[in-house]
Amino acid sequence: MENVFDYEDIQLVPNKCIVESRSECDTSIQFGNHTFRLPVVPANMQTIIDEKIAMYLAENGYFYIMHRFQPEARKAFIERMQEKGLVTSISVGVKPEEYTFIEELKQQELVPDYITIDIAHGHSNAVIRMIQHIKTHIPETFVIAGNVGTPEAVRELENAGADATKVGIGPGKVCITKIKTGFGTGGWQLAALRLCGKAATKPIIADGGIRTHGDIAKSVRFGASMVMIGSLFAGHDESPGEVKEVDGKVVKEYFGSASEFQKGERKNVEGKKMFVEHKGKLQDTLIEMEQDLQSAISYAGGDTLDALRHVDYVVVKNSIFNGDKVY
Ligand SMILES: NC(=O)C1=CN([C@@H]2O[C@H](COP(=O)(O)OP(=O)(O)OC[C@H]3O[C@@H](n4cnc5c(N)ncnc54)[C@H](OP(=O)(O)O)[C@@H]3O)[C@@H](O)[C@H]2O)C=CC1
Ligand SMILES: Nc1nc2c(ncn2[C@@H]2O[C@H](COP(=O)(O)O)[C@@H](O)[C@H]2O)c(=O)[nH]1
């Protein structure tokens, strides 16, 4: 495979600025039937999102995807969001009970705006069958299918009816898939995104491996409509998860959805737990992301996200931080 690189190997090349202030740059994105403030979505993981955060995000114009690890809570969640006129966005798996769940959503008029099929190895007949099941029973729902790491998988899931595909096998901060199986896009996630983006005819979500806000701009440059982020959203005041003090510093837990902490057993474990430094308010991070992305758009020489999609780039293998550890 040629042209393999990751986020830290790439720098985007600036164009002449067309705005007087970065605040003129518009970071909004249309995704499905809705427009969101940022092309960013917190990962659908139990230590990243809960109902309170989902509501905050929806009320403030951000996209969200609720996780699927409290399956029995999903209907009441949809109901509460619908009562408030908010976007509804949930996750499902592929086990037999999930088929019944989809049928019940239809019968009980609890059709969500977005459903994400959240599976480790999304290039599979199990995911194709679930896409088709959702599209048969609730065709109006926007279906995000994943995760995948190849152009073939993107095409196959799109052909099965997916409205968007999620790209990233193993680049995540708490991922150990690459170590346990030897497979994935870890270390070349941005190049995999580029290949998938070229094959896609519908939106793609870049998932995993985002370590700096600049990586969001790079993801958009290489084809992402939306960027899913876990670790940068972990550790906030609002983040679910255990808090503790280590060496006088407050830290919060962040664990993988395929970790034994999530699964409750040590079987097919492909995720780990770590503690991240406490980061303050989620709102402050979202605002900083928006400002950094506005700045990126200004360097791209435009005033909307589209400007980022056409900028030139250079490969500066492992050198953009000049040896500094910035994250
Ligand atoms: N983005 C990523 O790189 C990764 C993400 N994850 C996250 O971990 C969570 C758990 O994922 P997952 O294990 O798929 O969910 P589930 O535990 O719900 O498994 C879903 C179904 O797929 C089967 N399955 C899982 N992996 C494979 C595989 N490699 N080959 C064949 N069948 C498989 C499972 O059977 P059985 O368990 O019996 O094999 C099960 O029937 C998800 O939230 C996922 O996003 C996990 C790993 C990688
Ligand atoms: N291989 C695994 N990947 C996982 C697991 N739990 C979540 N994930 C993926 O990571 C991203 C978040 O990545 P980050 O670099 O932003 O922290 C998340 O969206 C999932 O796709 C897991 O247990 N194993």
Side-chain angles (χ1 to χ4, degrees):
M1 199 163 296
E2 52 189 66
N3 287 337
V4 173
F5 49 80
D6 212 342
Y7 288 100
E8 61 184 311
D9 308 319
I10 292 292
Q11 280 285 267
L12 304 175
V13 178
N15 284 322
K16 187 176 180 188
C17 185
I18 64 154
V19 293
E20 295 296 323
S21 159
R22 286 167 279 211
S23 60
E24 291 168 36
C25 296
D26 178 6
T27 60
S28 69
I29 180 90
Q30 181 168 358
F31 187 71
N33 288 332
H34 298 267
T35 298
F36 299 100
R37 264 173 86 163
L38 280 178
V40 164
V41 60
N44 48 347
M45 297 166 71
Q46 203 174 302
T47 47
I48 298 299
I49 188 161
D50 60 11
E51 180 165 338
K52 216 167 150 203
I53 294 178
M55 206 162 275
Y56 170 81
L57 293 169
E59 279 170 346
N60 288 280
Y62 299 104
F63 186 43
Y64 76 91
I65 303 175
M66 189 59 185
H67 66 72
R68 66 176 168 92
F69 303 109
Q70 275 171 301
E72 69 293 345
R74 290 177 297 187
K75 282 187 197 162
F77 170 73
I78 296 169
E79 213 159 17
R80 278 192 287 276
M81 298 298 274
Q82 282 181 345
E83 272 163 22
K84 291 175 178 265
L86 297 173
V87 166
T88 47
S89 175
I90 61 158
S91 304
V92 297
V94 293
K95 296 201 172 143
E97 57 273 21
E98 296 291 68
Y99 282 79
T100 316
F101 173 65
I102 297 295
E103 290 158 31
E104 287 170 359
L105 291 182
K106 174 68 178 177
Q107 285 150 13
Q108 295 168 25
E109 293 180 20
L110 289 172
V111 175
D113 299 306
Y114 299 84
I115 293 183
T116 297
I117 306 173
D118 172 33
I119 295 298
H121 191 4
H123 192 185
S124 68
N125 287 332
V127 167
I128 288 169
R129 279 194 299 270
M130 182 50 89
I131 295 169
Q132 290 165 344
H133 187 71
I134 298 171
K135 284 296 175 186
T136 301
H137 292 274
I138 43 175
E140 59 272 46
T141 292
F142 187 96
V143 176
I144 299 164
N147 274 23
V148 299
T150 62
E152 293 78 13
V154 168
R155 282 192 211 107
E156 210 173 333
L157 298 192
E158 284 186 351
N159 290 339
D163 298 298
T165 52
K166 193 142 68 71
V167 175
I169 307 277
K173 187 97 173 174
V174 285
C175 164
I176 53 171
T177 300
K178 49 190 171 279
I179 297 159
K180 299 253 290 181
T181 72
F183 280 83
T185 58
W188 64 291
Q189 166 69 0
L190 194 58
L193 184 66
R194 175 174 173 269
L195 293 173
C196 290
K198 282 176 179 289
T201 62
K202 298 175 182 177
I204 56 177
I205 302 181
D207 180 12
I210 302 295
R211 300 290 173 262
T212 67
H213 294 181
D215 294 346
I216 300 167
K218 292 177 190 177
S219 301
V220 173
R221 167 61 184 84
F222 286 95
S225 294
M226 193 56 80
V227 185
M228 179 170 266
I229 302 179
S231 61
L232 291 188
F233 280 118
H236 287 91
D237 289 346
E238 302 86 345
S239 306
E242 189 195 338
V243 187
K244 62 178 192 177
E245 216 177 289
V246 177
D247 300 332
K249 279 187 182 159
V250 180
V251 293
K252 260 186 145 169
E253 69 177 350
Y254 173 42
F255 57 70
S257 304
S259 66
E260 60 178 306
F261 308 96
Q262 183 72 67
K263 292 181 159 213
E265 61 174 340
R266 228 184 137 62
K267 181 168 179 281
N268 294 125
V269 165
E270 288 186 22
K272 64 179 181 181
K273 172 151 100 171
M274 62 185 290
F275 284 89
V276 298
E277 243 177 74
H278 176 243
K279 294 188 187 127
K281 287 177 106 46
L282 179 62
Q283 184 187 17
D284 293 341
T285 296
L286 286 164
I287 297 292
E288 192 178 333
M289 263 181 197
E290 185 169 340
Q291 289 172 351
D292 290 343
L293 197 52
Q294 285 180 312
S295 199
I297 291 170
S298 81
Y299 284 111
D303 58 3
T304 66
L305 283 177
D306 269 345
L308 287 170
R309 300 192 196 285
H310 310 291
V311 289
D312 213 345
Y313 67 90
V314 289
V315 181
V316 282
K317 199 95 191 145
N318 292 329
S319 65
I320 69 168
F321 297 128
N322 299 321
D324 289 343
K325 191 100 182 131
V326 297
Y327 55 84

